[in-house]
mmCIF file of all heavy atoms in Angstrom:
data_model
loop_
_atom_site.group_PDB
_atom_site.id
_atom_site.type_symbol
_atom_site.label_atom_id
_atom_site.label_comp_id
_atom_site.label_asym_id
_atom_site.label_seq_id
_atom_site.Cartn_x
_atom_site.Cartn_y
_atom_site.Cartn_z
ATOM 1 N N ASN A 117 86.861 121.471 87.921
ATOM 2 C CA ASN A 117 85.490 121.603 88.405
ATOM 3 C C ASN A 117 85.215 120.732 89.631
ATOM 4 O O ASN A 117 84.404 121.107 90.485
ATOM 5 C CB ASN A 117 84.482 121.312 87.289
ATOM 6 C CG ASN A 117 84.503 119.885 86.784
ATOM 7 O OD1 ASN A 117 85.469 119.146 86.955
ATOM 8 N ND2 ASN A 117 83.430 119.481 86.115
ATOM 9 N N PRO A 148 88.142 119.791 78.585
ATOM 10 C CA PRO A 148 88.407 118.605 79.406
ATOM 11 C C PRO A 148 89.856 118.582 79.873
ATOM 12 O O PRO A 148 90.779 118.847 79.100
ATOM 13 C CB PRO A 148 88.144 117.432 78.442
ATOM 14 C CG PRO A 148 87.384 118.003 77.306
ATOM 15 C CD PRO A 148 87.802 119.441 77.194
ATOM 16 N N GLU A 149 90.051 118.253 81.138
ATOM 17 C CA GLU A 149 91.375 118.034 81.713
ATOM 18 C C GLU A 149 91.592 116.527 81.764
ATOM 19 O O GLU A 149 91.024 115.826 82.595
ATOM 20 C CB GLU A 149 91.433 118.617 83.117
ATOM 21 C CG GLU A 149 91.358 120.125 83.122
ATOM 22 C CD GLU A 149 92.502 120.691 83.911
ATOM 23 O OE1 GLU A 149 93.604 120.733 83.350
ATOM 24 O OE2 GLU A 149 92.285 121.066 85.064
ATOM 25 N N THR A 150 92.402 116.066 80.847
ATOM 26 C CA THR A 150 92.542 114.631 80.624
ATOM 27 C C THR A 150 93.571 114.019 81.564
ATOM 28 O O THR A 150 94.667 114.550 81.733
ATOM 29 C CB THR A 150 92.959 114.378 79.163
ATOM 30 O OG1 THR A 150 92.017 115.025 78.301
ATOM 31 C CG2 THR A 150 92.988 112.898 78.851
ATOM 32 N N ILE A 151 93.214 112.882 82.163
ATOM 33 C CA ILE A 151 94.150 112.172 83.029
ATOM 34 C C ILE A 151 95.101 111.367 82.153
ATOM 35 O O ILE A 151 94.688 110.493 81.391
ATOM 36 C CB ILE A 151 93.412 111.250 84.020
ATOM 37 C CG1 ILE A 151 92.836 112.057 85.201
ATOM 38 C CG2 ILE A 151 94.363 110.206 84.595
ATOM 39 C CD1 ILE A 151 91.655 112.879 84.952
ATOM 40 N N ARG A 251 86.821 102.605 84.254
ATOM 41 C CA ARG A 251 86.201 103.905 83.955
ATOM 42 C C ARG A 251 84.788 103.969 84.524
ATOM 43 O O ARG A 251 84.387 104.978 85.117
ATOM 44 C CB ARG A 251 86.167 104.155 82.441
ATOM 45 C CG ARG A 251 87.501 104.455 81.829
ATOM 46 C CD ARG A 251 87.368 105.146 80.474
ATOM 47 N NE ARG A 251 86.549 104.417 79.515
ATOM 48 C CZ ARG A 251 86.974 103.428 78.736
ATOM 49 N NH1 ARG A 251 88.236 103.009 78.829
ATOM 50 N NH2 ARG A 251 86.173 102.851 77.866
ATOM 51 N N ILE A 254 85.035 104.391 88.267
ATOM 52 C CA ILE A 254 85.490 105.738 88.617
ATOM 53 C C ILE A 254 84.346 106.736 88.478
ATOM 54 O O ILE A 254 84.097 107.554 89.380
ATOM 55 C CB ILE A 254 86.681 106.148 87.731
ATOM 56 C CG1 ILE A 254 87.933 105.337 88.092
ATOM 57 C CG2 ILE A 254 86.969 107.647 87.857
ATOM 58 C CD1 ILE A 254 89.051 105.457 87.078
ATOM 59 N N MET A 255 83.628 106.662 87.364
ATOM 60 C CA MET A 255 82.535 107.612 87.140
ATOM 61 C C MET A 255 81.364 107.340 88.075
ATOM 62 O O MET A 255 80.629 108.265 88.449
ATOM 63 C CB MET A 255 82.094 107.564 85.676
ATOM 64 C CG MET A 255 83.149 108.108 84.725
ATOM 65 S SD MET A 255 82.597 108.209 83.000
ATOM 66 C CE MET A 255 82.430 106.472 82.600
ATOM 67 N N ALA A 258 82.541 108.889 91.460
ATOM 68 C CA ALA A 258 82.798 110.336 91.439
ATOM 69 C C ALA A 258 82.210 110.910 90.162
ATOM 70 O O ALA A 258 82.770 110.764 89.082
ATOM 71 C CB ALA A 258 84.298 110.600 91.509
ATOM 72 N N GLU A 259 81.068 111.583 90.306
ATOM 73 C CA GLU A 259 80.289 111.986 89.141
ATOM 74 C C GLU A 259 80.931 113.090 88.308
ATOM 75 O O GLU A 259 80.491 113.355 87.187
ATOM 76 C CB GLU A 259 78.882 112.431 89.568
ATOM 77 C CG GLU A 259 78.836 113.681 90.438
ATOM 78 C CD GLU A 259 79.029 113.394 91.922
ATOM 79 O OE1 GLU A 259 79.413 112.267 92.278
ATOM 80 O OE2 GLU A 259 78.808 114.319 92.727
ATOM 81 N N TRP A 260 81.977 113.724 88.811
ATOM 82 C CA TRP A 260 82.628 114.797 88.053
ATOM 83 C C TRP A 260 83.580 114.263 86.992
ATOM 84 O O TRP A 260 84.048 115.014 86.155
ATOM 85 C CB TRP A 260 83.379 115.736 89.003
ATOM 86 C CG TRP A 260 84.241 115.005 89.987
ATOM 87 C CD1 TRP A 260 85.508 114.554 89.814
ATOM 88 C CD2 TRP A 260 83.863 114.621 91.307
ATOM 89 N NE1 TRP A 260 85.958 113.906 90.927
ATOM 90 C CE2 TRP A 260 84.965 113.933 91.878
ATOM 91 C CE3 TRP A 260 82.704 114.790 92.067
ATOM 92 C CZ2 TRP A 260 84.931 113.417 93.169
ATOM 93 C CZ3 TRP A 260 82.680 114.272 93.352
ATOM 94 C CH2 TRP A 260 83.780 113.609 93.878
ATOM 95 N N PHE A 261 83.884 112.971 87.022
ATOM 96 C CA PHE A 261 84.697 112.376 85.964
ATOM 97 C C PHE A 261 83.838 112.081 84.732
ATOM 98 O O PHE A 261 82.659 111.733 84.849
ATOM 99 C CB PHE A 261 85.338 111.068 86.426
ATOM 100 C CG PHE A 261 86.540 111.239 87.307
ATOM 101 C CD1 PHE A 261 86.492 110.914 88.654
ATOM 102 C CD2 PHE A 261 87.739 111.709 86.790
ATOM 103 C CE1 PHE A 261 87.603 111.052 89.472
ATOM 104 C CE2 PHE A 261 88.860 111.866 87.597
ATOM 105 C CZ PHE A 261 88.791 111.535 88.941
ATOM 106 N N ALA A 262 84.456 112.186 83.554
ATOM 107 C CA ALA A 262 83.799 111.824 82.297
ATOM 108 C C ALA A 262 84.751 110.977 81.468
ATOM 109 O O ALA A 262 85.977 111.030 81.648
ATOM 110 C CB ALA A 262 83.414 113.080 81.514
ATOM 111 N N GLU A 263 84.205 110.183 80.560
ATOM 112 C CA GLU A 263 85.044 109.408 79.649
ATOM 113 C C GLU A 263 85.813 110.347 78.728
ATOM 114 O O GLU A 263 85.302 111.396 78.321
ATOM 115 C CB GLU A 263 84.197 108.459 78.812
ATOM 116 C CG GLU A 263 83.608 107.313 79.601
ATOM 117 C CD GLU A 263 82.972 106.280 78.699
ATOM 118 O OE1 GLU A 263 81.896 106.591 78.148
ATOM 119 O OE2 GLU A 263 83.531 105.188 78.545
ATOM 120 N N ASP A 264 87.022 109.961 78.382
ATOM 121 C CA ASP A 264 87.837 110.786 77.492
ATOM 122 C C ASP A 264 88.797 109.882 76.722
ATOM 123 O O ASP A 264 89.010 108.721 77.091
ATOM 124 C CB ASP A 264 88.609 111.837 78.293
ATOM 125 C CG ASP A 264 89.034 113.037 77.447
ATOM 126 O OD1 ASP A 264 88.751 113.055 76.236
ATOM 127 O OD2 ASP A 264 89.662 113.955 78.002
ATOM 128 N N THR A 265 89.360 110.424 75.654
ATOM 129 C CA THR A 265 90.301 109.694 74.812
ATOM 130 C C THR A 265 91.454 110.608 74.436
ATOM 131 O O THR A 265 91.241 111.761 74.049
ATOM 132 C CB THR A 265 89.613 109.222 73.515
ATOM 133 O OG1 THR A 265 88.502 108.382 73.845
ATOM 134 C CG2 THR A 265 90.580 108.442 72.633
ATOM 135 N N GLU A 279 92.250 105.230 75.957
ATOM 136 C CA GLU A 279 91.016 105.520 76.678
ATOM 137 C C GLU A 279 91.337 105.890 78.127
ATOM 138 O O GLU A 279 92.143 105.225 78.785
ATOM 139 C CB GLU A 279 90.079 104.314 76.648
ATOM 140 C CG GLU A 279 89.680 103.880 75.247
ATOM 141 C CD GLU A 279 89.044 104.990 74.435
ATOM 142 O OE1 GLU A 279 88.221 105.738 75.002
ATOM 143 O OE2 GLU A 279 89.369 105.121 73.240
ATOM 144 N N THR A 280 90.692 106.952 78.612
ATOM 145 C CA THR A 280 90.966 107.426 79.969
ATOM 146 C C THR A 280 89.741 108.178 80.478
ATOM 147 O O THR A 280 88.626 107.970 79.973
ATOM 148 C CB THR A 280 92.244 108.303 79.977
ATOM 149 O OG1 THR A 280 92.532 108.698 81.328
ATOM 150 C CG2 THR A 280 92.129 109.510 79.094
ATOM 151 N N VAL A 281 89.928 109.016 81.474
ATOM 152 C CA VAL A 281 88.852 109.848 82.012
ATOM 153 C C VAL A 281 89.363 111.283 82.139
ATOM 154 O O VAL A 281 90.557 111.541 82.035
ATOM 155 C CB VAL A 281 88.348 109.337 83.390
ATOM 156 C CG1 VAL A 281 87.606 108.032 83.239
ATOM 157 C CG2 VAL A 281 89.499 109.211 84.378
ATOM 158 N N SER A 282 88.437 112.197 82.367
ATOM 159 C CA SER A 282 88.817 113.607 82.498
ATOM 160 C C SER A 282 87.898 114.319 83.466
ATOM 161 O O SER A 282 86.808 113.839 83.800
ATOM 162 C CB SER A 282 88.766 114.311 81.131
ATOM 163 O OG SER A 282 87.436 114.330 80.635
ATOM 164 N N VAL A 283 88.348 115.492 83.917
ATOM 165 C CA VAL A 283 87.522 116.469 84.621
ATOM 166 C C VAL A 283 87.473 117.714 83.738
ATOM 167 O O VAL A 283 87.973 117.703 82.614
ATOM 168 C CB VAL A 283 88.084 116.776 86.024
ATOM 169 C CG1 VAL A 283 87.953 115.560 86.921
ATOM 170 C CG2 VAL A 283 89.538 117.237 85.958
ATOM 171 N N GLN A 284 86.852 118.787 84.201
ATOM 172 C CA GLN A 284 86.763 120.018 83.415
ATOM 173 C C GLN A 284 87.615 121.121 84.033
ATOM 174 O O GLN A 284 87.620 121.306 85.258
ATOM 175 C CB GLN A 284 85.316 120.524 83.360
ATOM 176 C CG GLN A 284 84.432 119.816 82.371
ATOM 177 C CD GLN A 284 84.537 120.419 80.977
ATOM 178 O OE1 GLN A 284 84.766 121.607 80.804
ATOM 179 N NE2 GLN A 284 84.359 119.589 79.967
#
Side-chain angles (χ1 to χ4, degrees):
N117 65 340
E149 292 233 79
T150 306
I151 281 74
R251 288 199 305 276
I254 290 167
M255 292 185 293
E259 65 275 12
W260 48 85
F261 282 110
E263 290 189 288
D264 202 359
T265 301
E279 300 304 318
T280 183
V281 290
S282 64
V283 292
Q284 281 274 329

